[in-house]
Amino acid sequence: MTRHEEHDDAGIPGGRRSGTLKIVGLALAGALVLGTATVGWAYWHLDHNIKSVDIDSALGDDRPARAAATPSASASVSTAPLPTGSLNILVLGSDSRSGKANKKLGGGDSSGARSDTAMVVHIDAGRTRATVVSIPRDTLVTRPSCPLPSGGSTAVAYHAMFNSAYAVGGPVCAVKTVESVTGVRMDHFIEIDFAGFAKLVDALGGVDVTTAQNIDDDMSHLHLKAGPHHLDGTQALALARTRHGIGDGSDLGRIGLQQMLVKALLRQMADTNLLTDPAQLYKVADAVTTSLTTDTGLDSLSELMRLGQSLQGLTAGHVKTVMMPVVQAPTDPNRVIAKEPAASDLWASLR
């Protein structure tokens, strides 16, 4: 763990500017409207909201190679050059079980958490296009041995559910498992929990979605008729989590809803002019940072802003959402495994 605290659905860089990271960047601009004294307090507060995990130190050098660096492009004469190389970011939505807000939203008891949603966000060199790859939580994988904060390590596990990596070893094991499965180096890690996702949607004034079918899921307490809906934070979270009221009740149907919701949130972020409403701007930034856990390379507002600025050319129309190709596991009809060679070809395209 690092200077901001111990650790602990998903904010994805995308929008007309940069999705979640755009909001963090706007936070400082909005804070300037509030006055000099407030700026210092707002910056300190938002900066210290962010929690982080030192993944690079925990995993060492036994990892896939980083993508080749590309030359930086200068944003202006007075600023440092912005990076333009490709990036791979693991984004997790976790069902954290700590805190009253998370429990109320379905986080369960007070011990442990799972990666309820997992997406690999690949940003192309030049940072004007992105691919978001969802990994089904029910995918059976070989979970590698992972270092533990308390010392020692977990044992290698064969035919383990993908989301068990976070449960047994936190963000470090989640990153190591993704890298083991994909062969792709994760340059950064971002996690947002139940309460944070719901709070973000509410801070944005809700989100508009259109469902293609009726959804009736008593487990997530979600009941929607097919058609357009304006959802608040609790409803949006239920939509991101529902699986029993759609399709065959598997995680695959839920991923389609999550990807629809991601794009809806990107549109909402892009269409909301937060700079004209400093109070709402701060509310949104606080919602994001309060529930955010990152790697140490993104654990400050200045680092998040720099990343967001480098994504200014990335538009919503250039964000592609896909799911890792899978087939039913031969040993369990309720689980899936990577479909080869399609899965390997997809990951190779992101290296």
Side-chain angles (χ1 to χ4, degrees), residues 8 16 27 110 113 124 169 180 195 202 214 228 241 327:
D8 144 299
R16 289 187 189 142
S110 60
D124 290 353
S180 175
D202 285 336
N214 295 341
R241 300 191 68 215
V327 294

Side-chain angles (χ1 to χ4, degrees), residues 217-251:
D217 187 353
D218 291 331
M219 296 288 289
S220 63
H221 309 292
L222 184 66
H223 302 279
L224 298 175
K225 297 292 185 182
H229 300 278
H230 183 76
L231 306 181
D232 64 18
T234 300
Q235 292 170 319
L237 177 61
L239 182 65
R241 300 191 68 215
T242 191
R243 60 190 293 179
H244 300 289
I246 55 170
D248 60 1
S250 74
D251 195 43

Side-chain angles (χ1 to χ4, degrees), residues 66-348:
R66 293 184 185 275
T70 58
S72 297
S74 180
S76 71
V77 175
S78 61
T79 61
L82 292 172
T84 61
S86 63
L87 279 178
N88 291 297
I89 305 173
L90 176 60
V91 179
L92 297 182
S94 73
D95 66 343
S96 173
R97 302 177 184 192
S98 61
K100 293 181 179 179
N102 281 318
K103 290 181 184 178
K104 185 177 180 180
L105 292 168
D109 59 38
S110 60
S111 62
R114 297 165 298 181
S115 52
D116 205 55
T117 302
M119 298 178 178
V120 173
V121 180
H122 172 78
I123 302 167
D124 290 353
R127 304 199 178 183
T128 59
R129 293 180 178 273
T131 302
V132 180
V133 185
S134 295
I135 303 177
R137 55 177 285 178
D138 295 337
T139 305
L140 297 181
V141 301
T142 297
R143 192 181 68 225
S145 174
C146 300
L148 295 172
S150 58
S153 59
T154 64
V156 176
Y158 301 96
H159 306 293
M161 276 183 58
F162 169 76
N163 73 334
S164 69
Y166 187 100
V168 301
V172 170
C173 197
V175 170
K176 186 164 185 178
T177 300
V178 169
E179 292 184 343
S180 175
V181 168
T182 67
V184 178
R185 172 76 171 242
M186 295 297 110
D187 300 293
H188 293 296
F189 164 83
I190 296 175
E191 175 191 338
I192 189 166
D193 64 22
F194 275 6
F197 178 77
K199 189 176 177 183
L200 170 60
V201 173
D202 285 336
L204 287 168
V207 62
D208 295 315
V209 301
T210 299
T211 56
Q213 64 185 87
N214 295 341
I215 299 176
D216 289 294
D217 187 353
D218 291 331
M219 296 288 289
S220 63
H221 309 292
L222 184 66
H223 302 279
L224 298 175
K225 297 292 185 182
H229 300 278
H230 183 76
L231 306 181
D232 64 18
T234 300
Q235 292 170 319
L237 177 61
L239 182 65
R241 300 191 68 215
T242 191
R243 60 190 293 179
H244 300 289
I246 55 170
D248 60 1
S250 74
D251 195 43
L252 306 188
R254 173 165 60 177
I255 284 175
L257 292 177
Q258 290 173 346
Q259 292 179 339
M260 174 188 71
L261 187 56
V262 165
K263 289 187 175 181
L265 276 173
L266 293 179
R267 290 193 297 269
Q268 182 73 10
M269 291 174 185
D271 292 341
T272 302
N273 190 359
L274 296 174
L275 289 178
T276 64
D277 189 345
Q280 185 188 16
L281 173 64
Y282 183 81
K283 184 179 179 182
V284 170
D286 191 44
V288 172
T289 56
T290 297
S291 308
L292 203 65
T293 301
T294 72
D295 64 282
T296 50
L298 290 179
D299 64 351
S300 70
L301 282 182
S302 59
E303 289 158 343
L304 287 171
M305 286 175 61
R306 183 171 171 79
L307 175 58
Q309 290 167 351
S310 78
L311 301 176
Q312 290 181 28
L314 178 62
T315 64
H318 289 156
V319 177
K320 179 182 179 182
T321 56
V322 300
M323 184 178 73
M324 182 182 79
V326 295
V327 294
Q328 186 182 83
T331 57
D332 188 341
N334 296 316
R335 302 289 180 259
V336 295
I337 58 173
K339 180 181 180 180
E340 297 296 357
S344 292
D345 290 344
L346 171 62
W347 298 125

